[in-house]
Short mmCIF file of all heavy atoms in Angstrom, two decimals:
data_model
loop_
_atom_site.label_atom_id
_atom_site.label_comp_id
_atom_site.label_asym_id
_atom_site.label_seq_id
_atom_site.Cartn_x
_atom_site.Cartn_y
_atom_site.Cartn_z
N ILE P 327 21.95 40.01 -36.70
CA ILE P 327 21.33 41.29 -37.05
C ILE P 327 22.42 42.35 -36.93
O ILE P 327 23.02 42.53 -35.87
CB ILE P 327 20.16 41.64 -36.12
CG1 ILE P 327 19.05 40.59 -36.23
CG2 ILE P 327 19.59 43.02 -36.48
CD1 ILE P 327 17.87 40.85 -35.29
N LEU P 328 22.67 43.03 -38.03
CA LEU P 328 23.62 44.14 -38.02
C LEU P 328 22.90 45.37 -37.49
O LEU P 328 21.94 45.86 -38.09
CB LEU P 328 24.15 44.40 -39.43
CG LEU P 328 25.06 45.62 -39.61
CD1 LEU P 328 26.33 45.48 -38.76
CD2 LEU P 328 25.40 45.81 -41.08
N VAL P 329 23.34 45.86 -36.34
CA VAL P 329 22.71 47.02 -35.70
C VAL P 329 23.63 48.22 -35.90
O VAL P 329 24.71 48.29 -35.30
CB VAL P 329 22.46 46.77 -34.19
CG1 VAL P 329 21.75 47.97 -33.57
CG2 VAL P 329 21.65 45.49 -33.99
N LEU P 330 23.20 49.15 -36.74
CA LEU P 330 23.99 50.35 -37.02
C LEU P 330 23.50 51.48 -36.14
O LEU P 330 22.37 51.97 -36.29
CB LEU P 330 23.89 50.70 -38.51
CG LEU P 330 24.45 49.59 -39.43
CD1 LEU P 330 24.20 49.92 -40.89
CD2 LEU P 330 25.93 49.39 -39.18
N ASN P 331 24.36 51.88 -35.22
CA ASN P 331 23.99 52.83 -34.18
C ASN P 331 24.37 54.26 -34.55
O ASN P 331 25.21 54.50 -35.41
CB ASN P 331 24.69 52.42 -32.87
CG ASN P 331 24.23 53.23 -31.68
OD1 ASN P 331 23.11 53.74 -31.65
ND2 ASN P 331 25.10 53.37 -30.69
N LYS P 332 23.70 55.20 -33.88
CA LYS P 332 23.94 56.65 -33.99
C LYS P 332 23.41 57.23 -35.30
O LYS P 332 24.06 58.04 -35.96
CB LYS P 332 25.42 56.97 -33.80
CG LYS P 332 25.98 56.51 -32.45
CD LYS P 332 27.40 56.97 -32.22
CE LYS P 332 27.93 56.47 -30.88
NZ LYS P 332 29.32 56.89 -30.62
N THR P 333 22.19 56.81 -35.68
CA THR P 333 21.56 57.40 -36.86
C THR P 333 21.23 58.87 -36.65
O THR P 333 20.99 59.60 -37.62
CB THR P 333 20.26 56.65 -37.21
OG1 THR P 333 19.40 56.64 -36.06
CG2 THR P 333 20.55 55.22 -37.64
N ASP P 334 21.21 59.31 -35.40
CA ASP P 334 20.96 60.73 -35.11
C ASP P 334 22.18 61.59 -35.45
O ASP P 334 22.06 62.82 -35.58
CB ASP P 334 20.59 60.92 -33.64
CG ASP P 334 21.67 60.37 -32.70
OD1 ASP P 334 22.12 59.23 -32.93
OD2 ASP P 334 22.06 61.09 -31.75
N GLU P 335 23.35 60.97 -35.63
CA GLU P 335 24.57 61.72 -35.90
C GLU P 335 25.13 61.49 -37.30
O GLU P 335 25.93 62.30 -37.79
CB GLU P 335 25.66 61.36 -34.86
CG GLU P 335 25.27 61.67 -33.42
CD GLU P 335 26.38 61.29 -32.46
OE1 GLU P 335 27.56 61.40 -32.85
OE2 GLU P 335 26.07 60.87 -31.32
N ALA P 336 24.76 60.37 -37.92
CA ALA P 336 25.34 60.05 -39.24
C ALA P 336 24.28 59.39 -40.11
O ALA P 336 23.41 58.67 -39.60
CB ALA P 336 26.55 59.14 -39.08
N PRO P 337 24.33 59.61 -41.42
CA PRO P 337 23.34 59.02 -42.32
C PRO P 337 23.65 57.55 -42.61
O PRO P 337 24.74 57.05 -42.34
CB PRO P 337 23.48 59.87 -43.59
CG PRO P 337 24.92 60.28 -43.59
CD PRO P 337 25.28 60.48 -42.14
N ARG P 338 22.69 56.88 -43.22
CA ARG P 338 22.89 55.51 -43.65
C ARG P 338 23.90 55.47 -44.81
O ARG P 338 24.18 56.48 -45.43
CB ARG P 338 21.57 54.89 -44.11
CG ARG P 338 20.49 54.87 -43.03
CD ARG P 338 19.26 54.14 -43.53
NE ARG P 338 18.19 54.15 -42.54
CZ ARG P 338 17.08 53.43 -42.62
NH1 ARG P 338 16.90 52.65 -43.68
NH2 ARG P 338 16.17 53.50 -41.69
N GLY P 339 24.40 54.26 -45.08
CA GLY P 339 25.31 54.10 -46.20
C GLY P 339 26.76 54.36 -45.87
O GLY P 339 27.60 54.42 -46.76
N ARG P 340 27.07 54.51 -44.59
CA ARG P 340 28.45 54.83 -44.22
C ARG P 340 29.20 53.64 -43.64
O ARG P 340 30.36 53.76 -43.26
CB ARG P 340 28.46 55.96 -43.20
CG ARG P 340 27.98 57.28 -43.77
CD ARG P 340 28.43 58.43 -42.91
NE ARG P 340 29.86 58.38 -42.63
CZ ARG P 340 30.49 59.24 -41.82
NH1 ARG P 340 29.80 60.19 -41.21
NH2 ARG P 340 31.78 59.13 -41.61
N CYS P 341 28.52 52.50 -43.55
CA CYS P 341 29.18 51.32 -42.96
C CYS P 341 29.48 50.31 -44.06
O CYS P 341 28.62 49.98 -44.88
CB CYS P 341 28.29 50.69 -41.90
SG CYS P 341 29.04 49.24 -41.10
N ALA P 342 30.69 49.80 -44.05
CA ALA P 342 31.12 48.85 -45.08
C ALA P 342 30.40 47.52 -44.98
O ALA P 342 30.42 46.72 -45.93
CB ALA P 342 32.63 48.62 -44.96
N LEU P 343 29.73 47.26 -43.86
CA LEU P 343 29.03 45.98 -43.68
C LEU P 343 27.61 46.01 -44.23
O LEU P 343 26.98 44.95 -44.34
CB LEU P 343 28.99 45.59 -42.20
CG LEU P 343 30.35 45.36 -41.52
CD1 LEU P 343 30.15 45.06 -40.05
CD2 LEU P 343 31.10 44.22 -42.21
N GLU P 344 27.10 47.17 -44.56
CA GLU P 344 25.72 47.27 -45.07
C GLU P 344 25.57 46.44 -46.34
O GLU P 344 26.41 46.48 -47.23
CB GLU P 344 25.36 48.73 -45.34
CG GLU P 344 25.19 49.55 -44.07
CD GLU P 344 24.86 51.01 -44.35
OE1 GLU P 344 23.68 51.32 -44.55
OE2 GLU P 344 25.81 51.80 -44.38
N GLY P 345 24.50 45.68 -46.40
CA GLY P 345 24.25 44.83 -47.55
C GLY P 345 24.88 43.46 -47.46
O GLY P 345 24.66 42.62 -48.34
N LYS P 346 25.65 43.20 -46.39
CA LYS P 346 26.32 41.91 -46.25
C LYS P 346 25.52 40.91 -45.41
O LYS P 346 25.98 39.79 -45.19
CB LYS P 346 27.71 42.09 -45.65
CG LYS P 346 28.69 42.79 -46.58
CD LYS P 346 30.10 42.76 -46.01
CE LYS P 346 31.10 43.38 -46.99
NZ LYS P 346 32.49 43.30 -46.46
N THR P 347 24.37 41.33 -44.92
CA THR P 347 23.55 40.43 -44.12
C THR P 347 22.09 40.69 -44.42
O THR P 347 21.70 41.79 -44.86
CB THR P 347 23.81 40.63 -42.61
OG1 THR P 347 22.99 39.73 -41.86
CG2 THR P 347 23.49 42.05 -42.17
N GLN P 348 21.28 39.67 -44.21
CA GLN P 348 19.85 39.78 -44.51
C GLN P 348 19.13 40.71 -43.55
O GLN P 348 18.14 41.33 -43.90
CB GLN P 348 19.22 38.38 -44.46
CG GLN P 348 17.73 38.34 -44.79
CD GLN P 348 17.17 36.95 -44.71
OE1 GLN P 348 17.91 35.98 -44.51
NE2 GLN P 348 15.86 36.82 -44.88
N TYR P 349 19.65 40.80 -42.33
CA TYR P 349 18.96 41.56 -41.29
C TYR P 349 19.81 42.75 -40.88
O TYR P 349 20.94 42.59 -40.40
CB TYR P 349 18.69 40.67 -40.08
CG TYR P 349 17.98 39.38 -40.43
CD1 TYR P 349 18.71 38.18 -40.51
CD2 TYR P 349 16.63 39.36 -40.71
CE1 TYR P 349 18.08 36.99 -40.85
CE2 TYR P 349 15.99 38.17 -41.05
CZ TYR P 349 16.72 37.00 -41.11
OH TYR P 349 16.10 35.82 -41.45
N THR P 350 19.26 43.95 -41.04
CA THR P 350 19.95 45.18 -40.64
C THR P 350 18.96 46.10 -39.95
O THR P 350 17.81 46.23 -40.39
CB THR P 350 20.54 45.91 -41.86
OG1 THR P 350 21.44 45.04 -42.55
CG2 THR P 350 21.29 47.16 -41.43
N ALA P 351 19.39 46.68 -38.85
CA ALA P 351 18.56 47.64 -38.12
C ALA P 351 19.34 48.93 -37.93
O ALA P 351 20.51 48.90 -37.55
CB ALA P 351 18.15 47.07 -36.77
N TYR P 352 18.70 50.05 -38.24
CA TYR P 352 19.31 51.37 -38.04
C TYR P 352 18.67 51.98 -36.79
O TYR P 352 17.45 52.16 -36.73
CB TYR P 352 19.06 52.26 -39.25
CG TYR P 352 19.71 51.76 -40.51
CD1 TYR P 352 19.06 50.84 -41.35
CD2 TYR P 352 20.98 52.19 -40.88
CE1 TYR P 352 19.67 50.38 -42.50
CE2 TYR P 352 21.59 51.73 -42.05
CZ TYR P 352 20.92 50.82 -42.85
OH TYR P 352 21.53 50.36 -44.00
N VAL P 353 19.51 52.29 -35.79
CA VAL P 353 18.97 52.75 -34.52
C VAL P 353 19.76 53.95 -34.00
O VAL P 353 20.89 54.20 -34.40
CB VAL P 353 19.00 51.63 -33.45
CG1 VAL P 353 18.29 50.39 -33.94
CG2 VAL P 353 20.42 51.30 -33.03
N SER P 354 19.10 54.62 -33.09
CA SER P 354 19.78 55.62 -32.27
C SER P 354 19.45 55.29 -30.83
O SER P 354 18.29 55.43 -30.40
CB SER P 354 19.29 57.04 -32.60
OG SER P 354 19.77 57.95 -31.62
N CYS P 355 20.45 54.82 -30.11
CA CYS P 355 20.22 54.48 -28.70
C CYS P 355 19.93 55.73 -27.88
O CYS P 355 19.33 55.66 -26.81
CB CYS P 355 21.43 53.75 -28.13
SG CYS P 355 21.75 52.15 -28.91
N LYS P 356 20.34 56.89 -28.41
CA LYS P 356 20.14 58.14 -27.67
C LYS P 356 18.69 58.57 -27.70
O LYS P 356 18.10 58.93 -26.67
CB LYS P 356 21.02 59.24 -28.26
CG LYS P 356 20.91 60.58 -27.52
CD LYS P 356 21.78 61.65 -28.16
CE LYS P 356 23.26 61.31 -27.98
NZ LYS P 356 24.13 62.39 -28.49
N ASN P 357 18.04 58.56 -28.90
CA ASN P 357 16.66 59.04 -28.98
C ASN P 357 15.64 57.93 -29.23
O ASN P 357 14.44 58.20 -29.36
CB ASN P 357 16.52 60.12 -30.06
CG ASN P 357 16.87 59.62 -31.45
OD1 ASN P 357 16.74 58.44 -31.75
ND2 ASN P 357 17.35 60.53 -32.32
N GLY P 358 16.08 56.68 -29.32
CA GLY P 358 15.16 55.55 -29.46
C GLY P 358 14.73 55.25 -30.88
O GLY P 358 13.95 54.31 -31.11
N GLU P 359 15.25 55.99 -31.85
CA GLU P 359 14.86 55.75 -33.23
C GLU P 359 15.26 54.34 -33.67
O GLU P 359 16.38 53.89 -33.45
CB GLU P 359 15.54 56.77 -34.14
CG GLU P 359 15.24 56.59 -35.63
CD GLU P 359 16.03 57.54 -36.50
OE1 GLU P 359 16.66 58.48 -35.95
OE2 GLU P 359 16.04 57.34 -37.73
N GLY P 360 14.33 53.62 -34.31
CA GLY P 360 14.61 52.30 -34.87
C GLY P 360 14.55 51.15 -33.89
O GLY P 360 14.66 49.99 -34.31
N LEU P 361 14.35 51.41 -32.61
CA LEU P 361 14.35 50.31 -31.63
C LEU P 361 13.15 49.39 -31.81
O LEU P 361 13.27 48.17 -31.65
CB LEU P 361 14.37 50.87 -30.21
CG LEU P 361 15.69 51.53 -29.77
CD1 LEU P 361 15.56 52.08 -28.36
CD2 LEU P 361 16.85 50.54 -29.85
N ASP P 362 11.98 49.96 -32.16
CA ASP P 362 10.80 49.11 -32.37
C ASP P 362 11.03 48.16 -33.53
O ASP P 362 10.64 46.99 -33.48
CB ASP P 362 9.56 49.97 -32.62
CG ASP P 362 9.07 50.67 -31.35
OD1 ASP P 362 9.46 50.22 -30.26
OD2 ASP P 362 8.33 51.66 -31.47
N GLY P 363 11.66 48.66 -34.59
CA GLY P 363 11.96 47.79 -35.73
C GLY P 363 12.92 46.69 -35.36
O GLY P 363 12.79 45.54 -35.81
N LEU P 364 13.92 47.01 -34.54
CA LEU P 364 14.88 46.00 -34.10
C LEU P 364 14.18 44.94 -33.26
O LEU P 364 14.43 43.73 -33.42
CB LEU P 364 16.00 46.66 -33.31
CG LEU P 364 17.01 45.71 -32.64
CD1 LEU P 364 17.68 44.82 -33.68
CD2 LEU P 364 18.06 46.50 -31.86
N LYS P 365 13.29 45.37 -32.38
CA LYS P 365 12.56 44.40 -31.56
C LYS P 365 11.73 43.45 -32.41
O LYS P 365 11.64 42.25 -32.13
CB LYS P 365 11.67 45.14 -30.56
CG LYS P 365 12.42 45.86 -29.46
CD LYS P 365 11.47 46.61 -28.53
CE LYS P 365 12.22 47.35 -27.44
NZ LYS P 365 11.30 48.11 -26.54
N LYS P 366 11.13 43.97 -33.47
CA LYS P 366 10.34 43.12 -34.37
C LYS P 366 11.24 42.10 -35.07
O LYS P 366 10.84 40.94 -35.26
CB LYS P 366 9.61 43.97 -35.39
CG LYS P 366 8.46 44.79 -34.81
CD LYS P 366 7.79 45.65 -35.88
CE LYS P 366 6.66 46.48 -35.28
NZ LYS P 366 6.02 47.36 -36.30
N GLN P 367 12.43 42.52 -35.45
CA GLN P 367 13.36 41.57 -36.08
C GLN P 367 13.77 40.48 -35.10
O GLN P 367 13.85 39.30 -35.46
CB GLN P 367 14.59 42.31 -36.60
CG GLN P 367 14.32 43.20 -37.80
CD GLN P 367 15.61 43.66 -38.45
OE1 GLN P 367 16.50 42.88 -38.73
NE2 GLN P 367 15.71 44.96 -38.71
N ILE P 368 14.04 40.86 -33.85
CA ILE P 368 14.41 39.86 -32.84
C ILE P 368 13.24 38.90 -32.62
O ILE P 368 13.42 37.67 -32.56
CB ILE P 368 14.79 40.55 -31.52
CG1 ILE P 368 16.04 41.42 -31.70
CG2 ILE P 368 15.01 39.52 -30.41
CD1 ILE P 368 16.38 42.27 -30.49
N LEU P 369 12.04 39.44 -32.51
CA LEU P 369 10.85 38.64 -32.24
C LEU P 369 10.59 37.63 -33.35
O LEU P 369 10.08 36.53 -33.10
CB LEU P 369 9.64 39.56 -32.07
CG LEU P 369 8.34 38.95 -31.55
CD1 LEU P 369 8.56 38.32 -30.18
CD2 LEU P 369 7.26 40.01 -31.48
N ALA P 370 10.96 37.98 -34.58
CA ALA P 370 10.71 37.09 -35.71
C ALA P 370 11.41 35.75 -35.56
O ALA P 370 10.95 34.73 -36.11
CB ALA P 370 11.15 37.76 -37.01
N PHE P 371 12.51 35.70 -34.80
CA PHE P 371 13.26 34.46 -34.68
C PHE P 371 12.59 33.45 -33.74
O PHE P 371 12.95 32.28 -33.74
CB PHE P 371 14.69 34.74 -34.20
CG PHE P 371 15.53 35.39 -35.25
CD1 PHE P 371 15.73 36.76 -35.26
CD2 PHE P 371 16.10 34.64 -36.25
CE1 PHE P 371 16.49 37.37 -36.23
CE2 PHE P 371 16.87 35.24 -37.25
CZ PHE P 371 17.07 36.61 -37.23
N VAL P 372 11.62 33.90 -32.95
CA VAL P 372 10.88 32.95 -32.10
C VAL P 372 9.42 32.87 -32.49
O VAL P 372 8.62 32.29 -31.78
CB VAL P 372 10.99 33.32 -30.60
CG1 VAL P 372 12.33 32.93 -30.06
CG2 VAL P 372 10.72 34.79 -30.37
N SER P 373 9.04 33.45 -33.59
CA SER P 373 7.64 33.39 -34.02
C SER P 373 7.52 33.19 -35.51
O SER P 373 6.52 33.56 -36.10
CB SER P 373 6.91 34.68 -33.60
OG SER P 373 7.55 35.82 -34.15
N ALA P 374 8.56 32.62 -36.14
CA ALA P 374 8.50 32.37 -37.57
C ALA P 374 7.39 31.38 -37.88
O ALA P 374 7.37 30.29 -37.31
CB ALA P 374 9.85 31.82 -38.06
N PRO P 375 6.43 31.72 -38.74
CA PRO P 375 5.29 30.84 -39.01
C PRO P 375 5.69 29.45 -39.48
O PRO P 375 5.07 28.46 -39.12
CB PRO P 375 4.52 31.60 -40.11
CG PRO P 375 4.93 33.02 -39.97
CD PRO P 375 6.36 32.98 -39.51
N GLN P 376 6.77 29.35 -40.27
CA GLN P 376 7.17 28.04 -40.80
C GLN P 376 7.68 27.12 -39.71
O GLN P 376 7.75 25.91 -39.91
CB GLN P 376 8.24 28.20 -41.88
CG GLN P 376 9.57 28.76 -41.39
CD GLN P 376 9.63 30.28 -41.45
OE1 GLN P 376 8.59 30.92 -41.46
NE2 GLN P 376 10.82 30.82 -41.50
#
Side-chain angles (χ1 to χ4, degrees):
I327 299 178
L328 175 61
V329 183
L330 298 174
N331 188 27
K332 301 186 181 180
T333 55
D334 56 313
E335 300 180 33
R338 301 184 182 190
R340 293 199 51 184
C341 181
L343 297 177
E344 289 178 85
K346 291 188 176 182
T347 180
Q348 181 180 354
Y349 308 102
T350 302
Y352 296 87
V353 305
S354 169
C355 296
K356 182 181 293 185
N357 61 28
E359 178 185 349
L361 290 178
D362 287 341
L364 173 58
K365 290 178 181 179
K366 289 179 181 178
Q367 290 193 49
I368 296 172
L369 190 59
F371 288 98
V372 283
S373 57
Q376 65 271 22

